[in-house]
C-alpha cells in the first residue's frame, strides 16, 4: 500500500480592518515612512481593535471561512492545532477556544509555540496525524495578535509587527503524489537571547516588577536575528531541494516567512530564485508571526495550480527554522 500523504485542500485568512500606517507610526515614535519602507518593506499592518477580542477571534474568522469554502461541517473535524505566541491565555489552548467558538465539539486540540516558525512546525506535525491514518480532517491555524506584546514606544520593534490569522484544511491526498512531501524542522536554544518575551511565564510571572521592566513586551536584537534568518532559511531551502533531488527550476513558488523584505530578497538571491516566484505580502500586513505563511497562501491562492511544487520556509524566535516541500493538490 502506498504511503498516505497529507494535502492542503483549503486555505483561508483573516486580517482585522484597522490599518496602522507608517504615517501613524511617525506620530508615535521617532521613525519615518522612508526608513520603514527601505529597511523592512512594510507600508502598513493590521491591528485588532475592540474590547474582548483576542487571537482566537481572528482564528475563528479564518476557520469559519475555511469551513464554508471547503463545504466542511464542524463535526467532520477531528483535530485542530493552532500555532501562536499570543495565546488568548496561558491555558486552555487557543485551538480549544477557537473550536468552542466555531462549534467544533469533542475534538483533539493543542497549540504549538515555535514563534515565527509556528505554522511550519504545526503543518508538519498535523501532517503526521494524517499520514498515520489516525485523523482525516485536520485544521492548522496560524494566528497572532502581536499588538498585545509590542511596545509602541520602541521604534526598533513596533514598526515590524501586525495582527492576523490564516488556516488550512489538511486531508489525506485523494491522488497519489500530491501533498506534503518533506520537511526540515530545527531549533537552537542559543538564539533565545536575541528574540523573546521575558515575562508572563514561570521564570518571570506577572508582577509590578515585570511590568515596570517591560518584560511582557517582545524583545529583539535585530541584526543577529537578521543574519541567522538569512543563513538558516537559505540552507533549509537548499537542503530540502537536495534531499528530494530537485533544483530551484522545479519549484513554482517559494513562500518565505514575512519578517523583512531584505531578508526575503537575500534568501531568494542566495537560492538564485526569481522574485516573481516568491510570495510577498509584507508591505500590507508586516510580520504577523505564525500567520505569515497561511496569509501568503491565501493571498496567492488564485495563482496556485494543481501540481505546483512549493517550498515554505520560516525563521523565528528560539531560534527555530525550517522548510516544507509540498505539491499543491487543489
Ligand atoms: O520574524 C522573526 C524574525 N525576525 C526577523 O527576522 C527580523 C530580523 N531583523 C531585521 O529585520 C532588522 O534587523 C530590523 C528591521 C529589525 C532593523 O534593521 P537594521 O537594518 O538591522 O537596523 P539596525 O537595528 O542595525 O539599526 C540601524 C539604525 C539604528 O540607529 P543608529 O544606532 O545607527 O543611529 C537604529 O536605532 O536604525 C535605527 N532604527 C530606526 N530608525 C528609524 C531602528 N529602528 C528604527 C525605526 N525608524 N523604526
Amino acid at each position: 500500500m502506498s504511503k498516505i500523504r497529507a494535502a492542503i485542500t483549503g486555505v483561508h485568512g483573516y486580517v482585522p480592518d484597522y490599518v496602522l500606517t507608517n504615517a501613524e507610526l511617525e506620530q508615535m515614535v521617532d521613525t519615518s515612512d522612508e526608513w520603514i519602507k527601505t529597511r523592512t518593506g512594510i507600508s502598513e499592518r493590521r491591528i485588532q481593535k475592540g474590547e474582548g477580542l483576542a487571537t482566537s477571534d481572528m482564528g475563528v474568522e479564518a476557520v469559519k471561512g475555511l469551513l464554508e469554502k471547503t463545504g466542511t461541517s464542524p463535526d467532520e473535524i477531528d483535530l485542530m492545532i493552532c500555532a501562536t505566541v499570543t495565546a488568548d491565555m496561558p491555558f486552555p489552548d487557543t485551538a480549544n477556544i477557537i473550536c468552542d467558538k466555531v462549534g467544533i465539539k469533542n475534538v483533539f486540540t493543542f497549540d504549538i509555540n515555535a514563534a515565527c516558525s509556528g505554522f511550519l512546525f504545526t503543518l508538519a506535525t498535523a501532517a503526521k496525524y494524517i499520514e498515520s491514518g489516525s485523523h482525516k480532517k485536520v485544521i492548522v491555524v496560524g494566528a497572532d495578535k502581536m499588538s498585545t506584546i509590542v511596545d509602541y514606544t520602541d521604534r526598533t520593534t513596533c514598526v515590524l509587527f501586525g495582527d492576523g490569522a490564516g488556516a488550512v484544511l489538511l486531508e489525506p491526498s485523494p491522488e497519489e503524489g500530491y501533498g506534503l512531501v518533506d520537511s526540515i524542522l530545527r531549533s537552537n536554544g542559543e538564539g533565545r537571547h536575541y528574540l523573546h518575551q521575558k515575562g508572563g511565564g514561570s521564570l518571570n510571572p506577572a508582577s509590578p516588577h515585570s511590568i515596570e521592566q517591560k518584560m511582557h513586551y517582545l524583545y529583539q536584537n535585530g541584526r543577529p536575528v537578521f543574519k541567522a534568518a538569512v543563513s538558516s532559511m537559505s540552507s533549509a531551502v537548499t537542503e530540502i531541494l537536495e534531499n528530494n533531488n530537485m533544483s530551484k527550476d522545479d519549484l513554482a513558488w517559494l513562500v518565505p516567512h514575512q519578517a523583512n523584505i531584505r531578508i526575503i530578497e537575500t534568501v531568494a538571491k542566495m537560492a538564485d530564485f526569481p522574485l516573481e516566484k516568491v510570495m510577498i505580502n509584507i508591505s500590507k500586513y508586516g510580520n504577523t508571526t505564525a500567520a505569515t505563511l497561511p496569509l501568503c497562501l491565501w493571498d496567492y491562492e488564485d495563482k496556485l495550480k494543481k501540481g505546483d511544487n512549493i517550498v515554505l520556509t520560516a525563521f523565528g524566535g528560539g531560534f527555530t527554522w525550517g522548510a516544507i516541500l509540498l505539491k499543491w493538490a487543489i
Side-chain angles (χ1 to χ4, degrees):
M1 212 176 75
S2 60
K3 185 175 177 262
I4 302 171
R5 260 198 199 162
I8 294 176
T9 53
V11 55
H12 202 68
Y14 171 80
V15 287
D17 292 337
Y18 190 85
V19 179
L20 175 58
T21 61
N22 291 349
E24 192 176 345
L25 283 162
E26 282 177 348
Q27 308 302 311
M28 295 158 69
V29 288
D30 180 15
T31 191
S32 66
D33 176 52
E34 204 260 335
W35 191 96
I36 302 171
K37 277 193 189 138
T38 53
R39 304 308 292 166
T40 73
I42 302 168
S43 299
E44 54 191 45
R45 63 295 286 144
R46 300 301 183 95
I47 303 294
Q48 188 188 41
K49 301 261 185 185
E51 195 74 14
L53 293 177
T55 296
S56 68
D57 297 290
M58 295 187 288
V60 163
E61 294 304 323
V63 170
K64 274 188 183 163
L66 180 70
L67 292 173
E68 199 179 307
K69 225 165 138 176
T70 55
T72 309
S73 135
D75 56 22
E76 290 179 80
I77 301 302
D78 44 19
L79 166 63
M80 180 188 291
I81 319 178
C82 179
T84 188
V85 293
T86 52
D88 284 22
M89 49 185 81
F91 68 88
D93 59 280
T94 306
N96 169 300
I97 299 170
I98 295 172
C99 283
D100 181 52
K101 290 179 176 173
V102 172
I104 300 174
K105 308 271 183 217
N106 300 322
V107 65
F108 177 24
T109 67
F110 60 97
D111 287 359
I112 286 183
N113 178 339
C116 294
S117 308
F119 186 79
L120 203 71
F121 281 34
T122 306
L123 186 64
T125 304
K128 300 293 175 200
Y129 287 91
I130 299 279
E131 288 164 10
S132 74
S134 65
H135 293 73
K136 299 276 181 289
K137 284 188 195 277
V138 179
I139 292 181
V140 177
V141 180
D144 269 304
K145 182 170 181 169
M146 295 306 290
S147 59
T148 56
I149 59 166
V150 164
D151 176 0
Y152 286 98
T153 65
D154 172 12
R155 70 173 183 175
T156 69
T157 52
C158 74
V159 301
L160 303 173
F161 296 93
D163 302 339
V168 299
L169 181 63
L170 270 191
E171 297 181 81
S173 173
E175 286 174 73
E176 209 165 307
Y178 292 87
L180 261 81
V181 177
D182 198 7
S183 61
I184 292 172
L185 307 169
R186 302 269 156 76
S187 295
N188 177 357
E190 287 172 8
R192 71 188 187 281
H193 304 292
Y194 303 106
L195 180 52
H196 56 241
Q197 181 189 330
K198 278 194 182 68
S202 56
L203 181 60
N204 299 296
S207 68
H209 175 72
S210 71
I211 291 167
E212 192 235 321
Q213 293 298 313
K214 297 189 165 198
M215 287 185 185
H216 299 277
Y217 291 129
L218 168 151
Y219 164 84
Q220 175 171 252
N221 180 355
R223 278 198 191 172
V225 178
F226 186 108
K227 274 193 189 166
V230 167
S231 65
S232 305
M233 286 198 285
S234 298
S235 52
V237 172
T238 308
E239 194 180 327
I240 205 159
L241 290 176
E242 275 174 14
N243 291 353
N244 291 277
N245 299 315
M246 289 171 74
S247 84
K248 62 175 176 61
D249 300 326
D250 298 314
L251 280 192
W253 292 101
L254 180 66
V255 193
H257 171 54
Q258 312 280 304
N260 187 322
I261 190 68
R262 291 183 293 135
I263 296 178
I264 296 169
E265 287 172 353
T266 312
V267 169
K269 199 169 169 197
M270 284 171 80
D272 192 21
F273 200 73
L275 274 181
E276 308 79 72
K277 295 204 296 182
V278 181
M279 293 192 189
I280 302 173
N281 61 10
I282 188 169
S283 120
K284 51 184 188 168
Y285 304 141
N287 183 348
T288 55
T289 303
T292 62
L293 297 180
L295 285 176
C296 275
L297 294 175
W298 181 49
D299 274 356
Y300 280 77
E301 201 183 353
D302 292 349
K303 296 192 169 67
L304 285 164
K305 291 193 294 296
K306 190 173 171 181
D308 278 353
N309 291 314
I310 299 171
V311 167
L312 311 173
T313 184
F315 179 88
F319 294 140
T320 53
W321 70 97
I324 285 180
L325 171 66
L326 58 88
K327 195 179 266 296
W328 196 247
I330 45 175

